[in-house]
Amino acid sequence: MAGKDNPFEIVLRQIESAKPYLDVEPDIIEAIKYPKEVLTLHLPVKMDNGKVKVFTAYRSHHNNARGPYKGGVRYHPNVTLEEVMALSAWMTFKCATVGIPYGGGKGGIACNPKEMSQSELERLSRAYALGISRFMGTDIDIPAPDVYTNPQVMAWFVDTYEKVKGWSEPSAYTGKPINIGGSEGRGDATAKGGMYTIREAAKYLKLTGKVTVAIQGYGNAGYFAAKLLHDELGYTIIAVSDSKGGILKKDGLDPDDVLKHKRETGSVINYPGSENITNEDLLELECDILVPAALEDQITKDNADKVKAKMVAELANGPTTPEADKILHKNGVFLVPDILTNAGGVTVSYFEWVQGRMGLWWTEEEVYDRLERIMVKSFNDILEIAKRHDIDMRTADYVLAVSRVVEATKVRGFWP
Ligand code: NAD
């Protein structure tokens, strides 16, 4: 994260942005702003060199008016309390956006997984799972993957949790490997949901012919977005990047070949036949669709005026600041907000949770079918609000999501 803006302050402004369009008492809005509780942990972990290292970790419970807390766990050196709080709030409004029966939670560990061995990562993951085990469970809070965590980490988490509890409870975690209760279609769910959303937005914007795309980040969200937009929609992926930099090839990249290169060399940069560019350059490229799929705080007041894409589809959480939102809107850039674009991940996590509880597993087709219906409906619900009030898509999304969280809060009442 570039680290300029406090991400939780951004969430508060986003919630406030919905107020003028809602007939809601200000005290009720106040009641849904802040996390209900946040757990901070200091985890001592034995490293391979025999020394003990202490890691700071968090789990934030933002809101559970609509259902149990739900959200991923991030491993990154820049994880902070404010970031985890913001990510947990975005989960609340994301689940409300797509109408799935969850609130919002999120976790994170300040660590650098790139400098850790697999066995160190396993010990850290198990320490975290043990630490939060009293704070979560199938009907309380259900963690999942996020930046630099994956199905293997979920397997260590759920194994630790089940050993501590003494029973099998696959729905306590989602994003697990398929052979221990994961769902078909969870691997590429975030990007798949993003693809359905981008397809609907492209129809609305009447993008036809050669549609060009630049994607920042080449992990779970970014790589699968490149692959699906290329393979299923026939778009031309002109640029992609990762933490080391980006690459540009105007006549189009082959997403799988770029992934092979990244696996062999550790980065997308220096991909044969492409030109190396910076992450900053990538955001300012001439293209139809820009997909931030890495971290927060990427499109800011300093570079928003230079964004030339017709559409920004946020697969990352929080890549655009409120000042940048205003500039993009003024410049006619159609922004599809994070809490809609990347909601496919939590939606298929919800399917995994449902399947785990039923003990009955769906086919990939069933998963994608249900996901598509939810994403298409959510996009159109928000577009309708945006048109009705003549507002940007993010504000429209917050109008919808905040109203749903408020309704649930009011009908429950306040007790004690
Ligand atoms: P990941 O760990 O799989 O990949 C992260 C990617 O970002 C890597 O390619 C990394 O090199 C790149 N990156 C890191 N720092 C960067 C930088 N400064 N500039 C450019 N690239 C950088 O993580 P992911 O799961 O793909 O998550 C990416 C974003 O998508 C995050 O904002 C995450 O919260 C969001 N998201 C993920 C999911 C999910 O299911 N995985 C769901 C919803 C939202």
Side-chain angles (χ1 to χ4, degrees):
M1 187 174 78
K4 282 172 270 171
D5 285 308
N6 175 342
F8 193 71
E9 292 292 329
I10 290 179
V11 175
L12 296 179
R13 288 168 67 182
Q14 290 169 336
I15 297 170
E16 283 288 325
S17 73
K19 253 184 174 170
Y21 309 96
L22 293 172
D23 185 18
V24 179
E25 304 81 341
D27 54 331
I28 305 288
I29 300 270
E30 222 37 47
I32 65 162
K33 279 184 177 171
Y34 299 92
K36 293 202 170 170
E37 46 192 5
V38 186
L39 182 67
T40 301
L41 301 157
H42 299 286
L43 306 170
V45 175
K46 194 66 123 359
M47 306 303 278
D48 290 346
N49 64 6
K51 296 235 161 43
V52 172
K53 190 168 171 182
V54 180
F55 294 87
T56 303
Y58 310 96
R59 185 79 196 164
S60 170
H61 287 172
H62 179 258
N63 187 286
N64 64 349
R66 300 185 61 263
Y69 305 104
K70 181 87 188 83
V73 182
R74 175 171 295 192
Y75 286 4
H76 195 279
N78 296 345
V79 163
T80 61
L81 176 63
E82 289 75 22
E83 182 185 57
V84 173
M85 284 166 57
L87 288 162
S88 69
W90 283 324
M91 289 306 299
T92 298
F93 299 110
K94 187 181 304 182
C95 294
T97 292
V98 287
I100 57 176
Y102 286 138
K106 200 84 179 193
I109 308 181
C111 67
N112 190 348
K114 290 182 186 170
E115 289 174 358
M116 296 171 70
S117 69
Q118 278 297 102
S119 50
E120 287 171 340
L121 274 177
E122 176 173 353
R123 289 193 291 278
L124 175 64
S125 301
R126 289 188 185 276
Y128 182 75
L130 176 64
I132 66 166
S133 61
R134 65 198 144 95
F135 205 59
M136 52 146 304
T138 298
D139 293 310
I140 304 169
D141 172 16
I142 309 107
D146 191 71
V147 173
Y148 297 148
T149 55
N150 55 28
Q152 174 61 75
V153 174
M154 297 307 116
W156 292 325
F157 281 166
V158 77
D159 182 68
T160 306
Y161 177 81
E162 290 183 342
K163 285 195 169 110
V164 169
K165 297 288 175 184
W167 57 71
S168 164
E169 193 180 323
S171 290
Y173 281 92
T174 61
K176 302 178 298 294
I178 295 215
N179 58 6
I180 58 164
S183 176
E184 294 289 346
R186 178 62 183 89
D188 65 357
T190 302
K192 195 90 170 179
M195 180 196 74
Y196 294 134
T197 317
I198 289 169
R199 186 191 68 194
E200 295 308 298
K203 268 190 232 164
Y204 171 66
L205 296 179
K206 301 193 171 57
L207 295 183
T208 49
K210 182 179 169 185
V211 176
T212 53
V213 185
I215 301 176
Q216 185 194 47
Y218 214 61
N220 176 279
Y223 157 68
F224 279 119
K227 181 169 173 60
L228 294 168
L229 293 173
H230 176 272
D231 292 1
E232 298 201 16
L233 301 187
Y235 292 176
T236 305
I237 312 301
I238 61 162
V240 299
S241 70
D242 59 28
S243 59
K244 301 206 173 75
I247 52 171
L248 169 67
K249 189 164 184 269
K250 286 197 178 142
D251 59 354
L253 294 158
D254 173 343
D256 281 323
D257 206 45
V258 173
L259 182 68
K260 187 164 158 273
H261 172 81
K262 181 172 164 67
R263 286 202 174 127
E264 283 164 7
T265 67
S267 174
V268 298
I269 59 171
N270 301 321
Y271 176 70
S274 74
E275 178 192 331
N276 283 342
I277 56 172
T278 65
N279 264 295
E280 291 73 33
D281 296 337
L282 182 137
L283 299 172
E284 298 168 14
L285 286 175
E286 198 86 55
C287 63
D288 293 308
I289 305 172
L290 173 63
V291 183
L295 296 169
E296 299 93 298
D297 213 8
Q298 300 300 307
I299 306 177
T300 67
K301 63 179 181 338
D302 300 326
N303 62 359
D305 245 335
K306 299 182 196 141
V307 169
K308 298 180 196 73
K310 300 185 181 85
M311 179 201 308
V312 173
E314 297 181 323
L315 268 190
N317 283 304
T320 313
T321 65
E323 290 79 11
D325 270 342
K326 290 201 185 92
I327 297 168
L328 294 177
H329 189 57
K330 174 178 70 75
N331 291 350
V333 179
F334 186 78
L335 182 137
V336 198
D338 47 4
I339 58 172
L340 169 64
T341 314
N342 70 33
V346 72
T347 302
V348 177
S349 270
Y350 163 56
F351 298 161
E352 180 176 335
W353 180 79
V354 168
Q355 293 169 78
R357 304 192 80 165
M358 289 193 302
L360 180 68
W361 303 94
W362 304 345
T363 63
E364 195 177 71
E365 290 67 37
E366 284 174 284
V367 168
Y368 289 151
D369 215 49
R370 288 173 200 260
L371 174 65
E372 182 172 9
R373 271 184 274 143
I374 288 176
M375 297 307 297
V376 171
K377 179 177 183 320
S378 304
F379 174 83
N380 286 304
D381 287 347
I382 293 159
L383 183 63
E384 193 275 316
I385 296 171
K387 285 183 182 164
R388 182 167 9 115
H389 294 294
D390 190 21
I391 52 179
D392 63 86
M393 289 287 280
R394 189 186 318 276
T395 310
D397 197 332
Y398 275 89
V399 171
L400 178 73
V402 168
S403 74
R404 286 179 175 167
V405 179
V406 162
E407 277 164 28
T409 304
K410 283 174 79 168
V411 76
R412 282 174 180 274
F414 292 88
W415 182 85

